[in-house]
C-alpha cells in the first residue's frame, strides 16, 4: 500500500521513500502480534508501550557488538544475554548454567 493510501496509518514518508512504522501499536495485543515478530509490550514504561525487541540484529558481528546481546551459533540468531550469565566467572559454571543460555567467551 503506498503511503498516501495507508488508511491504517502503518507507514510514514522518510525523505524519498515510504517506511513501515515499527512497533507503533496502541495496545498490547496488536503489539505482541506484530506480523514480523519485532515488537514487545514494555510494562516498565509509564504508560506501558509497544517497543522494538532487543537484539534485532541479523549478523554475528553487529549482534556481538551490543553488550546486551549474544549470537547463538545453533540457531544463527541474535538473542538477549541472560543477566545471570554475567556474574559467572568460571567456564564450567557458565556452560552448565540452569538457563542453558550462557556461552563462554
Amino acid at each position: 500500500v503506498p503511503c498516501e493510501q495507508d488508511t491504517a496509518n502503518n507507514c510514514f514518508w522518510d525523505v524519498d521513500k515510504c517506511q513501515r512504522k515499527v512497533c507503533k501499536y496502541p495496545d498490547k495485543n496488536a503489539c505482541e502480534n506484530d506480523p514480523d515478530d519485532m515488537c514487545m509490550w514494555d510494562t516498565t514504561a509509564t504508560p506501558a508501550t509497544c517497543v522494538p525487541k532487543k537484539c534485532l540484529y541479523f549478523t554475528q558481528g553487529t549482534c556481538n557488538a551490543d553488550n546486551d546481546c549474544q549470537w547463538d551459533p545453533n540457531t544463527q540468531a541474535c538473542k538477549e544475554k541472560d543477566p545471570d550469565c554475567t556474574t559467572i566467572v568460571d567456564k564450567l559454571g557458565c556452560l552448565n548454567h540452569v538457563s542453558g543460555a550462557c556461552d563462554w567467551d
Side-chain angles (χ1 to χ4, degrees):
V1 174
C3 275
E4 51 278 351
Q5 295 175 8
D6 176 29
T7 56
N9 199 27
N10 292 322
C11 303
F12 70 97
W13 192 256
D14 183 18
V15 183
D16 62 349
K17 60 185 174 273
C18 189
Q19 298 282 353
R20 177 178 174 252
K21 289 181 184 176
V22 178
C23 305
K24 299 295 182 191
Y25 301 106
D27 63 81
K28 181 180 179 182
N29 188 48
C31 177
E32 292 179 343
N33 289 298
D34 177 69
D36 297 317
D37 195 29
M38 294 175 59
C39 306
M40 66 181 201
W41 192 249
D42 182 1
T43 57
T44 63
T46 306
T49 187
C50 190
V51 297
K53 287 182 177 178
K54 295 178 183 177
C55 304
L56 289 174
Y57 302 108
F58 302 103
T59 65
Q60 184 174 357
T62 55
C63 176
N64 290 339
D66 185 327
N67 289 333
D68 294 326
C69 305
Q70 69 185 31
W71 188 255
D72 184 337
N74 298 320
T75 62
Q76 293 292 297
C78 191
K79 63 182 182 180
E80 220 176 322
K81 282 184 182 174
D82 184 324
D84 291 341
C85 298
T86 59
T87 60
I88 301 170
V89 295
D90 66 286
K91 184 175 182 177
L92 190 60
C94 172
L95 298 176
N96 292 323
H97 188 268
V98 67
S99 73
C102 302
D103 291 321
W104 189 253
D105 257 341

